[in-house]
PDB file of all heavy atoms in Angstrom:
ATOM      1  N   SER A 283      -4.388  -1.054   4.689  1.00 98.00           N
ATOM      2  CA  SER A 283      -2.976  -0.772   4.403  1.00 98.00           C
ATOM      3  C   SER A 283      -2.646   0.637   4.885  1.00 98.00           C
ATOM      4  O   SER A 283      -1.543   0.877   5.437  1.00 98.00           O
ATOM      5  CB  SER A 283      -2.739  -0.851   2.865  1.00 98.00           C
ATOM      6  OG  SER A 283      -2.976  -2.194   2.428  1.00 98.00           O
ATOM      7  N   ASN A 284      -3.545   1.610   4.687  1.00 98.00           N
ATOM      8  CA  ASN A 284      -3.342   2.951   5.190  1.00 98.00           C
ATOM      9  C   ASN A 284      -3.132   2.929   6.711  1.00 98.00           C
ATOM     10  O   ASN A 284      -2.269   3.658   7.238  1.00 98.00           O
ATOM     11  CB  ASN A 284      -4.508   3.847   4.845  1.00 98.00           C
ATOM     12  CG  ASN A 284      -4.583   4.205   3.350  1.00 98.00           C
ATOM     13  OD1 ASN A 284      -3.609   3.995   2.630  1.00 98.00           O
ATOM     14  ND2 ASN A 284      -5.738   4.681   2.921  1.00 98.00           N
ATOM     15  N   LYS A 285      -3.965   2.149   7.414  1.00 98.00           N
ATOM     16  CA  LYS A 285      -3.832   2.062   8.850  1.00 98.00           C
ATOM     17  C   LYS A 285      -2.481   1.502   9.257  1.00 98.00           C
ATOM     18  O   LYS A 285      -1.832   2.028  10.199  1.00 98.00           O
ATOM     19  CB  LYS A 285      -5.008   1.215   9.407  1.00 98.00           C
ATOM     20  CG  LYS A 285      -4.982   1.081  10.899  1.00 98.00           C
ATOM     21  CD  LYS A 285      -5.288   2.398  11.600  1.00 98.00           C
ATOM     22  CE  LYS A 285      -5.411   2.210  13.110  1.00 98.00           C
ATOM     23  NZ  LYS A 285      -5.661   3.472  13.818  1.00 98.00           N
ATOM     24  N   ALA A 286      -2.070   0.452   8.585  1.00 97.00           N
ATOM     25  CA  ALA A 286      -0.780  -0.165   8.897  1.00 97.00           C
ATOM     26  C   ALA A 286       0.380   0.843   8.657  1.00 97.00           C
ATOM     27  O   ALA A 286       1.296   0.902   9.475  1.00 97.00           O
ATOM     28  CB  ALA A 286      -0.542  -1.424   8.074  1.00 97.00           C
ATOM     29  N   ILE A 287       0.261   1.605   7.583  1.00 97.00           N
ATOM     30  CA  ILE A 287       1.313   2.579   7.284  1.00 97.00           C
ATOM     31  C   ILE A 287       1.305   3.719   8.280  1.00 97.00           C
ATOM     32  O   ILE A 287       2.356   4.239   8.648  1.00 97.00           O
ATOM     33  CB  ILE A 287       1.120   3.092   5.833  1.00 97.00           C
ATOM     34  CG1 ILE A 287       1.430   1.994   4.805  1.00 97.00           C
ATOM     35  CG2 ILE A 287       1.963   4.352   5.566  1.00 97.00           C
ATOM     36  CD1 ILE A 287       0.946   2.274   3.437  1.00 97.00           C
ATOM     37  N   THR A 288       0.129   4.113   8.749  1.00 97.00           N
ATOM     38  CA  THR A 288       0.020   5.130   9.794  1.00 97.00           C
ATOM     39  C   THR A 288       0.735   4.683  11.066  1.00 97.00           C
ATOM     40  O   THR A 288       1.462   5.470  11.736  1.00 97.00           O
ATOM     41  CB  THR A 288      -1.447   5.482  10.089  1.00 97.00           C
ATOM     42  OG1 THR A 288      -2.045   5.991   8.926  1.00 97.00           O
ATOM     43  CG2 THR A 288      -1.545   6.518  11.211  1.00 97.00           C
ATOM     44  N   ILE A 289       0.546   3.405  11.458  1.00 97.00           N
ATOM     45  CA  ILE A 289       1.172   2.874  12.624  1.00 97.00           C
ATOM     46  C   ILE A 289       2.675   2.745  12.397  1.00 97.00           C
ATOM     47  O   ILE A 289       3.493   3.039  13.326  1.00 97.00           O
ATOM     48  CB  ILE A 289       0.554   1.492  13.025  1.00 97.00           C
ATOM     49  CG1 ILE A 289      -0.938   1.660  13.355  1.00 97.00           C
ATOM     50  CG2 ILE A 289       1.309   0.894  14.176  1.00 97.00           C
ATOM     51  CD1 ILE A 289      -1.696   0.368  13.482  1.00 97.00           C
ATOM     52  N   ASP A 290       3.068   2.199  11.242  1.00 97.00           N
ATOM     53  CA  ASP A 290       4.470   1.946  10.943  1.00 97.00           C
ATOM     54  C   ASP A 290       4.777   2.413   9.491  1.00 97.00           C
ATOM     55  O   ASP A 290       4.547   1.655   8.543  1.00 97.00           O
ATOM     56  CB  ASP A 290       4.788   0.481  11.097  1.00 97.00           C
ATOM     57  CG  ASP A 290       6.226   0.169  10.703  1.00 97.00           C
ATOM     58  OD1 ASP A 290       7.055   1.088  10.564  1.00 97.00           O
ATOM     59  OD2 ASP A 290       6.561  -1.029  10.560  1.00 97.00           O
ATOM     60  N   PRO A 291       5.280   3.635   9.336  1.00 97.00           N
ATOM     61  CA  PRO A 291       5.571   4.107   7.970  1.00 97.00           C
ATOM     62  C   PRO A 291       6.644   3.338   7.218  1.00 97.00           C
ATOM     63  O   PRO A 291       6.821   3.560   6.033  1.00 97.00           O
ATOM     64  CB  PRO A 291       6.038   5.562   8.228  1.00 97.00           C
ATOM     65  CG  PRO A 291       5.516   5.942   9.553  1.00 97.00           C
ATOM     66  CD  PRO A 291       5.535   4.655  10.337  1.00 97.00           C
ATOM     67  N   GLN A 292       7.359   2.426   7.918  1.00 96.00           N
ATOM     68  CA  GLN A 292       8.349   1.605   7.224  1.00 96.00           C
ATOM     69  C   GLN A 292       7.810   0.200   6.927  1.00 96.00           C
ATOM     70  O   GLN A 292       8.639  -0.722   6.704  1.00 96.00           O
ATOM     71  CB  GLN A 292       9.617   1.559   8.139  1.00 96.00           C
ATOM     72  CG  GLN A 292      10.281   2.832   8.323  1.00 96.00           C
ATOM     73  CD  GLN A 292      10.748   3.462   7.031  1.00 96.00           C
ATOM     74  OE1 GLN A 292      11.528   2.863   6.285  1.00 96.00           O
ATOM     75  NE2 GLN A 292      10.255   4.690   6.712  1.00 96.00           N
ATOM     76  N   ASN A 293       6.516   0.065   6.876  1.00 96.00           N
ATOM     77  CA  ASN A 293       5.908  -1.235   6.659  1.00 96.00           C
ATOM     78  C   ASN A 293       5.845  -1.547   5.142  1.00 96.00           C
ATOM     79  O   ASN A 293       4.955  -1.131   4.429  1.00 96.00           O
ATOM     80  CB  ASN A 293       4.498  -1.221   7.231  1.00 96.00           C
ATOM     81  CG  ASN A 293       3.877  -2.602   7.317  1.00 96.00           C
ATOM     82  OD1 ASN A 293       4.053  -3.394   6.403  1.00 96.00           O
ATOM     83  ND2 ASN A 293       3.121  -2.867   8.352  1.00 96.00           N
ATOM     84  N   ASP A 294       6.869  -2.242   4.665  1.00 97.00           N
ATOM     85  CA  ASP A 294       6.989  -2.497   3.213  1.00 97.00           C
ATOM     86  C   ASP A 294       5.814  -3.352   2.675  1.00 97.00           C
ATOM     87  O   ASP A 294       5.335  -3.130   1.573  1.00 97.00           O
ATOM     88  CB  ASP A 294       8.335  -3.154   2.888  1.00 97.00           C
ATOM     89  CG  ASP A 294       8.630  -4.376   3.731  1.00 97.00           C
ATOM     90  OD1 ASP A 294       7.985  -4.567   4.805  1.00 97.00           O
ATOM     91  OD2 ASP A 294       9.513  -5.174   3.379  1.00 97.00           O
ATOM     92  N   PHE A 295       5.336  -4.308   3.457  1.00 95.00           N
ATOM     93  CA  PHE A 295       4.246  -5.132   3.048  1.00 95.00           C
ATOM     94  C   PHE A 295       2.965  -4.372   2.859  1.00 95.00           C
ATOM     95  O   PHE A 295       2.134  -4.633   2.030  1.00 95.00           O
ATOM     96  CB  PHE A 295       4.041  -6.337   3.977  1.00 95.00           C
ATOM     97  CG  PHE A 295       5.163  -7.358   3.864  1.00 95.00           C
ATOM     98  CD1 PHE A 295       6.073  -7.506   4.908  1.00 95.00           C
ATOM     99  CD2 PHE A 295       5.293  -8.144   2.734  1.00 95.00           C
ATOM    100  CE1 PHE A 295       7.094  -8.458   4.794  1.00 95.00           C
ATOM    101  CE2 PHE A 295       6.283  -9.102   2.627  1.00 95.00           C
ATOM    102  CZ  PHE A 295       7.201  -9.244   3.690  1.00 95.00           C
ATOM    103  N   ALA A 296       2.754  -3.355   3.720  1.00 97.00           N
ATOM    104  CA  ALA A 296       1.557  -2.545   3.636  1.00 97.00           C
ATOM    105  C   ALA A 296       1.566  -1.754   2.312  1.00 97.00           C
ATOM    106  O   ALA A 296       0.475  -1.663   1.688  1.00 97.00           O
ATOM    107  CB  ALA A 296       1.457  -1.604   4.807  1.00 97.00           C
ATOM    108  N   TYR A 297       2.679  -1.267   1.906  1.00 98.00           N
ATOM    109  CA  TYR A 297       2.761  -0.517   0.614  1.00 98.00           C
ATOM    110  C   TYR A 297       2.491  -1.500  -0.527  1.00 98.00           C
ATOM    111  O   TYR A 297       1.806  -1.187  -1.503  1.00 98.00           O
ATOM    112  CB  TYR A 297       4.099   0.133   0.462  1.00 98.00           C
ATOM    113  CG  TYR A 297       4.307   1.391   1.301  1.00 98.00           C
ATOM    114  CD1 TYR A 297       5.144   1.408   2.387  1.00 98.00           C
ATOM    115  CD2 TYR A 297       3.581   2.559   0.956  1.00 98.00           C
ATOM    116  CE1 TYR A 297       5.349   2.553   3.121  1.00 98.00           C
ATOM    117  CE2 TYR A 297       3.768   3.715   1.717  1.00 98.00           C
ATOM    118  CZ  TYR A 297       4.605   3.700   2.815  1.00 98.00           C
ATOM    119  OH  TYR A 297       4.750   4.822   3.559  1.00 98.00           O
ATOM    120  N   THR A 298       3.068  -2.741  -0.405  1.00 97.00           N
ATOM    121  CA  THR A 298       2.836  -3.748  -1.416  1.00 97.00           C
ATOM    122  C   THR A 298       1.365  -4.130  -1.532  1.00 97.00           C
ATOM    123  O   THR A 298       0.814  -4.218  -2.646  1.00 97.00           O
ATOM    124  CB  THR A 298       3.708  -5.013  -1.164  1.00 97.00           C
ATOM    125  OG1 THR A 298       5.070  -4.597  -1.057  1.00 97.00           O
ATOM    126  CG2 THR A 298       3.558  -6.018  -2.249  1.00 97.00           C
ATOM    127  N   ASN A 299       0.716  -4.351  -0.406  1.00 96.00           N
ATOM    128  CA  ASN A 299      -0.687  -4.703  -0.401  1.00 96.00           C
ATOM    129  C   ASN A 299      -1.552  -3.566  -0.998  1.00 96.00           C
ATOM    130  O   ASN A 299      -2.477  -3.797  -1.740  1.00 96.00           O
ATOM    131  CB  ASN A 299      -1.177  -5.025   1.018  1.00 96.00           C
ATOM    132  CG  ASN A 299      -0.903  -6.410   1.453  1.00 96.00           C
ATOM    133  OD1 ASN A 299      -0.721  -7.288   0.646  1.00 96.00           O
ATOM    134  ND2 ASN A 299      -0.823  -6.643   2.735  1.00 96.00           N
ATOM    135  N   ARG A 300      -1.201  -2.348  -0.610  1.00 98.00           N
ATOM    136  CA  ARG A 300      -1.959  -1.210  -1.111  1.00 98.00           C
ATOM    137  C   ARG A 300      -1.748  -1.076  -2.635  1.00 98.00           C
ATOM    138  O   ARG A 300      -2.692  -0.772  -3.378  1.00 98.00           O
ATOM    139  CB  ARG A 300      -1.543   0.094  -0.398  1.00 98.00           C
ATOM    140  CG  ARG A 300      -2.501   1.248  -0.701  1.00 98.00           C
ATOM    141  CD  ARG A 300      -2.219   2.462   0.180  1.00 98.00           C
ATOM    142  NE  ARG A 300      -1.001   3.136  -0.163  1.00 98.00           N
ATOM    143  CZ  ARG A 300      -0.523   4.221   0.426  1.00 98.00           C
ATOM    144  NH1 ARG A 300      -1.215   4.754   1.456  1.00 98.00           N
ATOM    145  NH2 ARG A 300       0.639   4.801   0.056  1.00 98.00           N
ATOM    146  N   GLY A 301      -0.534  -1.312  -3.089  1.00 98.00           N
ATOM    147  CA  GLY A 301      -0.257  -1.303  -4.505  1.00 98.00           C
ATOM    148  C   GLY A 301      -1.067  -2.323  -5.280  1.00 98.00           C
ATOM    149  O   GLY A 301      -1.646  -2.008  -6.328  1.00 98.00           O
ATOM    150  N   LEU A 302      -1.187  -3.505  -4.700  1.00 97.00           N
ATOM    151  CA  LEU A 302      -1.982  -4.560  -5.344  1.00 97.00           C
ATOM    152  C   LEU A 302      -3.481  -4.142  -5.461  1.00 97.00           C
ATOM    153  O   LEU A 302      -4.054  -4.329  -6.487  1.00 97.00           O
ATOM    154  CB  LEU A 302      -1.857  -5.834  -4.546  1.00 97.00           C
ATOM    155  CG  LEU A 302      -2.711  -7.035  -4.996  1.00 97.00           C
ATOM    156  CD1 LEU A 302      -2.365  -7.419  -6.432  1.00 97.00           C
ATOM    157  CD2 LEU A 302      -2.489  -8.207  -4.069  1.00 97.00           C
ATOM    158  N   ALA A 303      -3.980  -3.540  -4.417  1.00 97.00           N
ATOM    159  CA  ALA A 303      -5.355  -3.105  -4.425  1.00 97.00           C
ATOM    160  C   ALA A 303      -5.600  -2.027  -5.451  1.00 97.00           C
ATOM    161  O   ALA A 303      -6.551  -2.011  -6.183  1.00 97.00           O
ATOM    162  CB  ALA A 303      -5.805  -2.604  -3.028  1.00 97.00           C
ATOM    163  N   LYS A 304      -4.611  -1.061  -5.507  1.00 98.00           N
ATOM    164  CA  LYS A 304      -4.718   0.017  -6.491  1.00 98.00           C
ATOM    165  C   LYS A 304      -4.685  -0.543  -7.925  1.00 98.00           C
ATOM    166  O   LYS A 304      -5.410  -0.126  -8.795  1.00 98.00           O
ATOM    167  CB  LYS A 304      -3.618   1.025  -6.310  1.00 98.00           C
ATOM    168  CG  LYS A 304      -3.810   1.906  -5.061  1.00 98.00           C
ATOM    169  CD  LYS A 304      -2.652   2.920  -4.926  1.00 98.00           C
ATOM    170  CE  LYS A 304      -2.829   3.838  -3.710  1.00 98.00           C
ATOM    171  NZ  LYS A 304      -1.663   4.778  -3.546  1.00 98.00           N
ATOM    172  N   SER A 305      -3.765  -1.525  -8.131  1.00 97.00           N
ATOM    173  CA  SER A 305      -3.677  -2.144  -9.445  1.00 97.00           C
ATOM    174  C   SER A 305      -4.987  -2.779  -9.866  1.00 97.00           C
ATOM    175  O   SER A 305      -5.474  -2.626 -10.964  1.00 97.00           O
ATOM    176  CB  SER A 305      -2.557  -3.166  -9.448  1.00 97.00           C
ATOM    177  OG  SER A 305      -2.442  -3.783 -10.688  1.00 97.00           O
ATOM    178  N   ASP A 306      -5.629  -3.506  -8.909  1.00 96.00           N
ATOM    179  CA  ASP A 306      -6.913  -4.197  -9.222  1.00 96.00           C
ATOM    180  C   ASP A 306      -7.998  -3.180  -9.473  1.00 96.00           C
ATOM    181  O   ASP A 306      -8.979  -3.534 -10.186  1.00 96.00           O
ATOM    182  CB  ASP A 306      -7.267  -5.106  -8.058  1.00 96.00           C
ATOM    183  CG  ASP A 306      -6.404  -6.364  -7.997  1.00 96.00           C
ATOM    184  OD1 ASP A 306      -5.803  -6.710  -9.008  1.00 96.00           O
ATOM    185  OD2 ASP A 306      -6.355  -7.008  -6.915  1.00 96.00           O
ATOM    186  N   LEU A 307      -7.815  -1.967  -8.976  1.00 97.00           N
ATOM    187  CA  LEU A 307      -8.829  -0.942  -9.236  1.00 97.00           C
ATOM    188  C   LEU A 307      -8.463  -0.133 -10.545  1.00 97.00           C
ATOM    189  O   LEU A 307      -9.190   0.792 -10.880  1.00 97.00           O
ATOM    190  CB  LEU A 307      -8.886   0.065  -8.063  1.00 97.00           C
ATOM    191  CG  LEU A 307      -9.578  -0.527  -6.821  1.00 97.00           C
ATOM    192  CD1 LEU A 307      -9.361   0.435  -5.653  1.00 97.00           C
ATOM    193  CD2 LEU A 307     -11.051  -0.725  -7.047  1.00 97.00           C
ATOM    194  N   GLY A 308      -7.411  -0.487 -11.188  1.00 97.00           N
ATOM    195  CA  GLY A 308      -6.985   0.115 -12.453  1.00 97.00           C
ATOM    196  C   GLY A 308      -6.082   1.316 -12.276  1.00 97.00           C
ATOM    197  O   GLY A 308      -5.690   1.949 -13.297  1.00 97.00           O
ATOM    198  N   ASP A 309      -5.639   1.604 -11.062  1.00 98.00           N
ATOM    199  CA  ASP A 309      -4.714   2.756 -10.824  1.00 98.00           C
ATOM    200  C   ASP A 309      -3.276   2.196 -10.858  1.00 98.00           C
ATOM    201  O   ASP A 309      -2.623   2.035  -9.820  1.00 98.00           O
ATOM    202  CB  ASP A 309      -5.023   3.363  -9.452  1.00 98.00           C
ATOM    203  CG  ASP A 309      -4.110   4.535  -9.134  1.00 98.00           C
ATOM    204  OD1 ASP A 309      -3.367   4.976 -10.043  1.00 98.00           O
ATOM    205  OD2 ASP A 309      -4.099   4.997  -7.974  1.00 98.00           O
ATOM    206  N   HIS A 310      -2.819   1.914 -12.056  1.00 98.00           N
ATOM    207  CA  HIS A 310      -1.490   1.268 -12.213  1.00 98.00           C
ATOM    208  C   HIS A 310      -0.339   2.172 -11.818  1.00 98.00           C
ATOM    209  O   HIS A 310       0.633   1.738 -11.208  1.00 98.00           O
ATOM    210  CB  HIS A 310      -1.310   0.751 -13.611  1.00 98.00           C
ATOM    211  CG  HIS A 310      -2.403  -0.188 -14.000  1.00 98.00           C
ATOM    212  ND1 HIS A 310      -2.617  -1.381 -13.351  1.00 98.00           N
ATOM    213  CD2 HIS A 310      -3.363  -0.133 -15.023  1.00 98.00           C
ATOM    214  CE1 HIS A 310      -3.670  -2.055 -13.908  1.00 98.00           C
ATOM    215  NE2 HIS A 310      -4.100  -1.294 -14.916  1.00 98.00           N
ATOM    216  N   GLN A 311      -0.456   3.484 -12.118  1.00 97.00           N
ATOM    217  CA  GLN A 311       0.602   4.396 -11.695  1.00 97.00           C
ATOM    218  C   GLN A 311       0.662   4.536 -10.177  1.00 97.00           C
ATOM    219  O   GLN A 311       1.719   4.574  -9.580  1.00 97.00           O
ATOM    220  CB  GLN A 311       0.433   5.750 -12.382  1.00 97.00           C
ATOM    221  CG  GLN A 311       1.635   6.706 -12.117  1.00 97.00           C
ATOM    222  CD  GLN A 311       2.950   6.079 -12.597  1.00 97.00           C
ATOM    223  OE1 GLN A 311       3.128   5.698 -13.758  1.00 97.00           O
ATOM    224  NE2 GLN A 311       3.918   5.989 -11.688  1.00 97.00           N
ATOM    225  N   GLY A 312      -0.514   4.617  -9.599  1.00 98.00           N
ATOM    226  CA  GLY A 312      -0.575   4.676  -8.117  1.00 98.00           C
ATOM    227  C   GLY A 312       0.019   3.412  -7.478  1.00 98.00           C
ATOM    228  O   GLY A 312       0.702   3.484  -6.460  1.00 98.00           O
ATOM    229  N   ALA A 313      -0.236   2.269  -8.128  1.00 98.00           N
ATOM    230  CA  ALA A 313       0.314   1.008  -7.630  1.00 98.00           C
ATOM    231  C   ALA A 313       1.855   1.027  -7.709  1.00 98.00           C
ATOM    232  O   ALA A 313       2.549   0.665  -6.793  1.00 98.00           O
ATOM    233  CB  ALA A 313      -0.228  -0.147  -8.461  1.00 98.00           C
TER     234      ALA A 313
END
């Protein structure tokens, strides 16, 4: 997700995917 965001900072799905991963790791505020 970080790579996708680096290539395209307007990539809404990349932020969503990264949020899901953070949530699964217990970082709910980061998500």
Side-chain angles (χ1 to χ4, degrees):
S283 299
N284 288 344
K285 181 67 175 178
I287 291 165
T288 299
I289 297 168
D290 177 14
Q292 296 301 301
N293 190 323
D294 52 343
F295 288 109
Y297 285 109
T298 303
N299 277 337
R300 192 171 71 179
L302 176 59
K304 287 180 179 178
S305 179
D306 286 340
L307 289 169
D309 180 11
H310 302 300
Q311 188 55 57

